[in-house]
Amino acid sequence: MRLSRWLADRWVMIVALLVLGYLALPILVVAGLSFNRPSSRLSYDFNEFTVDNWRQPCATSDMCDAVVRSVQIGFIATVVATVLGTLMAFALVRHRFRGRSGINVLIFLPMATPELVMGTSLLALFVSAGVPQGFWTIVIAHVMFCVSFVVVTVKARLAGMDRRLEEAAMDLYASEWQTFRRITLPLVLPGIVAAALLAFSLSFDDFIITNFNAGTTVTFPMYVWGAAQRGIPPQVNVIGTAMFAIALLLVGLSSLRGRRSRRANLLASAAPVAQARRQS
């Protein structure tokens, strides 16, 4: 009876832990294989523990070139998509204009369209326009589908923001620029950062759309796909583990910063109450 009652009280937590473990299992396998010395190029069994893969992550020079190229593409696409997507989100949430509903539908189209269709459509567009395929066609393609994710993420943050805070700042004779810089931007910034991280992850990880519009340019996913035919080097697992660790670190720092900010606000709001009690 005690066991059944304990399970009944905690079955949701148990299921959540099992799902999280299922999602984390591939990541743990990749992290473990990053310390593996395979017996052959086509072997993925754990053979021998080694740290040489981490000491020499660029043992395969072509792979590191592909990683740098993917980071460059992801950075440019993230900056452009974040700026455009944030401006579009503010326009759609804060203003009413003709065609607003239609624009909302168009924003969801890149997310709902299969990547195969989007990749072939962009290829046909670039070929008909006479645009040579390469680095910049990949950037244009990545910006196109990353903008939608940025708009949706920032819109969700704006929709949950209390407009009365901005109105209070304006009532206290703050200018529009001061209100935006001191009130609006700090409140929206977590959503913008989350959207930028999501955009970079999507850009860095994309293969299908990139493969159609890359020309002779090789990104990291394309390198992994080509290397799979002749044996993936173990340094690929090092890159994957390092990218996951960096993302986890950024999320942890953002969460810690938000917790400290909430604690500081709570202490600041409780200080007048404590002072009033002391005076009474």
Side-chain angles (χ1 to χ4, degrees), residues 8 13 23 77 94 121 128 141 160 187 198 204 226 233 271 276:
M13 183 185 66
L23 295 175
R94 296 296 181 85
S121 301
S128 61
L187 292 175
L198 177 61
F204 186 86

Side-chain angles (χ1 to χ4, degrees), residues 69-97:
R69 197 170 296 113
S70 291
V71 171
Q72 292 174 345
I73 293 173
F75 178 78
I76 298 174
T78 298
V79 172
V80 177
T82 302
V83 173
L84 295 179
T86 302
L87 295 177
M88 292 175 64
F90 269 95
L92 292 172
V93 173
R94 296 296 181 85
H95 302 280
R96 299 292 183 268
F97 52 90

Side-chain angles (χ1 to χ4, degrees), residues 2-262:
R2 291 182 179 179
L3 179 60
S4 61
R5 185 179 302 174
W6 187 86
L7 292 176
D9 293 338
R10 296 171 173 82
W11 70 271
V12 175
M13 183 185 66
I14 295 174
V15 173
L17 291 176
L18 290 175
V19 172
L20 289 176
Y22 174 76
L23 295 175
L25 184 60
I27 301 174
L28 296 177
V29 171
V30 171
L33 290 176
S34 66
F35 295 96
N36 179 40
R37 179 181 285 116
S39 57
S40 64
R41 293 184 64 88
L42 298 177
S43 175
Y44 299 99
D45 298 330
F46 194 87
N47 179 53
E48 181 183 354
F49 180 85
T50 181
V51 294
D52 292 340
N53 300 329
W54 286 88
R55 291 175 178 174
Q56 299 176 349
C58 293
T60 307
S61 59
D62 295 341
M63 186 193 69
C64 283
D65 294 339
V67 171
V68 172
R69 197 170 296 113
S70 291
V71 171
Q72 292 174 345
I73 293 173
F75 178 78
I76 298 174
T78 298
V79 172
V80 177
T82 302
V83 173
L84 295 179
T86 302
L87 295 177
M88 292 175 64
F90 269 95
L92 292 172
V93 173
R94 296 296 181 85
H95 302 280
R96 299 292 183 268
F97 52 90
R98 183 178 300 177
R100 179 171 173 268
S101 300
I103 292 177
N104 281 320
V105 174
L106 291 176
I107 287 173
F108 280 96
L109 282 180
M111 294 188 292
T113 304
E115 290 191 350
L116 184 64
V117 176
M118 189 180 301
T120 54
S121 301
L122 286 170
L123 175 62
L125 174 64
F126 291 138
V127 170
S128 61
V131 179
Q133 299 172 358
F135 183 91
W136 291 109
T137 54
I138 299 176
V139 171
I140 294 172
H142 287 196
V143 169
M144 192 191 71
F145 68 78
C146 285
V147 165
S148 299
F149 291 93
V150 173
V151 172
V152 171
T153 305
V154 178
K155 274 183 61 179
R157 182 68 179 180
L158 286 171
M161 195 177 72
D162 192 355
R163 291 292 301 272
R164 291 175 296 181
L165 297 174
E166 297 173 304
E167 295 173 357
M170 299 289 286
D171 290 339
L172 294 174
Y173 302 102
S175 63
E176 293 184 357
W177 168 246
Q178 289 174 333
T179 302
F180 175 79
R181 184 169 60 90
R182 296 181 178 271
I183 305 297
T184 307
L185 184 60
L187 292 175
V188 183
L189 188 59
I192 297 176
V193 173
L197 292 176
L198 177 61
F200 182 82
S201 299
L202 293 171
S203 175
F204 186 86
D205 191 53
D206 183 77
F207 170 75
I208 298 177
I209 298 176
T210 303
N211 191 36
F212 277 101
N213 301 278
T216 58
T217 304
V218 178
T219 61
F220 181 63
M222 294 179 62
Y223 173 84
V224 175
W225 176 75
Q229 304 176 9
R230 58 185 183 274
I232 298 178
Q235 284 78 9
V236 170
N237 300 315
V238 174
I239 300 299
T241 305
M243 294 298 296
F244 176 76
I246 293 172
L248 193 63
L249 178 62
L250 291 176
V251 172
L253 291 176
S254 177
S255 177
L256 181 62
R257 181 177 179 275
R259 184 177 302 177
R260 289 181 176 177
S261 178
R262 288 191 297 267

